[in-house]
Amino acid sequence: MAKAPPEKRTPPPPPRARALGLRRGDEDEKPTRAPRGEAEAKPDSRKAKTPERESRARAPEKPVIERPAPAGKPRKPQPAFPKKNQPPTAAAFAARLPLALGKRFDFARAFLAKQPDVREDVYFYGPESGWALRYLLGERPLCSLHIYDEQPIAIVSLDPGANAGIDWRAISPVAQKARKQAHGSPTLLWLDLPLEGTGANDFKSILRAKLAAQSTDGEGVGNEGSDVDG
């Protein structure tokens, strides 16, 4: 009977391999890398930002400056009777106003009606001014009475002679303000005088001075009528 060949014995690994627990031949193998994710996480070399450091790193926010909206053009006063094809009657002006303002409007109108050679008519001054009561001395314009934004207004033109005859220190602040806001030229000044409050009495004083300047002897100025009650 044939003898089996002697079993080959693997020589023991060298001491270094035994220390590492490797078999012979394993020491030549390259160590495999651990799968990504199983490897030990490396400590982040960057320092974590603290709230204090974040506040330093963040740029300061610029304050928001609210700028006011650009001012629009001032609204033009609206006439009470703007349509040319709808002329009002003379009585419709005072009737449109509240009782106190209507009384002052009628006061100015009654004063003008008592002046010699002064006549009244309802006149259309254009789409921006609408209908108004116009007063003529002979054929010369004297003044006009309007209603803008439900407020009675007297418009008076003053030449240098009439302007010089007015005692501006004796009139109320209403007329003094109207004088500061007057428009036109030195040869002909246009005064927009509110008839509200003391304006009705100021209108009477200004018209007396203008009528006196347009009359050679002053007889054209009527003195009828007392001042309107405040």
Side-chain angles (χ1 to χ4, degrees):
M1 182 176 179
K3 294 182 182 181
E7 185 181 352
K8 292 183 179 182
R9 294 183 180 179
T10 303
R16 181 173 178 274
R18 287 201 301 268
L20 296 176
L22 301 176
R23 296 173 298 174
R24 178 175 289 278
D26 291 345
E27 67 272 14
D28 296 333
E29 296 180 3
K30 295 182 179 179
T32 57
R33 294 183 180 179
R36 184 172 297 179
E38 295 181 4
E40 183 180 357
K42 294 182 180 180
D44 192 357
S45 59
R46 297 175 297 177
K47 294 183 180 180
K49 291 185 179 181
T50 62
E52 183 179 356
R53 293 189 62 184
E54 287 184 359
S55 62
R56 293 178 183 174
R58 190 182 302 128
E61 296 181 359
K62 295 182 179 180
V64 179
I65 301 176
E66 296 183 0
R67 297 181 179 179
K73 295 182 179 180
R75 189 183 68 86
K76 292 183 178 180
Q78 299 300 311
F81 306 101
K83 297 182 179 181
K84 186 176 182 179
N85 59 351
Q86 296 179 5
T89 63
F93 287 83
R96 187 182 179 97
L97 297 170
L99 184 60
L101 293 179
K103 182 179 179 181
R104 284 166 171 77
F105 191 95
D106 281 338
F107 168 82
R109 187 182 174 199
F111 171 76
L112 289 165
K114 294 175 182 178
Q115 307 307 315
D117 301 326
V118 173
R119 58 188 178 90
E120 173 191 85
D121 65 0
V122 181
Y123 186 80
F124 186 71
Y125 282 92
E128 292 188 0
S129 300
W131 291 94
L133 296 181
R134 181 179 65 168
Y135 294 89
L136 302 172
L137 178 61
E139 296 300 324
R140 300 175 60 184
L142 182 65
C143 64
S144 57
L145 301 181
H146 301 251
I147 296 179
Y148 288 107
D149 292 339
E150 309 306 323
Q151 297 292 327
I153 302 289
I155 298 180
V156 186
S157 60
L158 299 174
D159 58 18
N163 195 8
I166 300 171
D167 186 4
W168 292 104
R169 295 173 297 179
I171 62 176
S172 76
V174 174
Q176 292 177 6
K177 182 179 178 181
R179 184 192 184 191
K180 292 179 181 179
Q181 297 176 345
H183 51 94
S185 64
T187 57
L188 190 63
L189 199 64
W190 292 91
L191 198 71
D192 298 353
L193 180 62
L195 298 178
E196 186 177 2
T198 57
N201 290 327
D202 292 333
F203 171 75
K204 184 177 177 179
S205 300
I206 292 171
L207 257 294
R208 279 178 174 169
K210 181 173 182 177
L211 289 168
Q214 293 182 352
S215 175
T216 55
D217 54 5
E219 293 179 356
V221 183
N223 295 319
E224 299 89 346
S226 60
D227 289 352
V228 66
D229 296 335

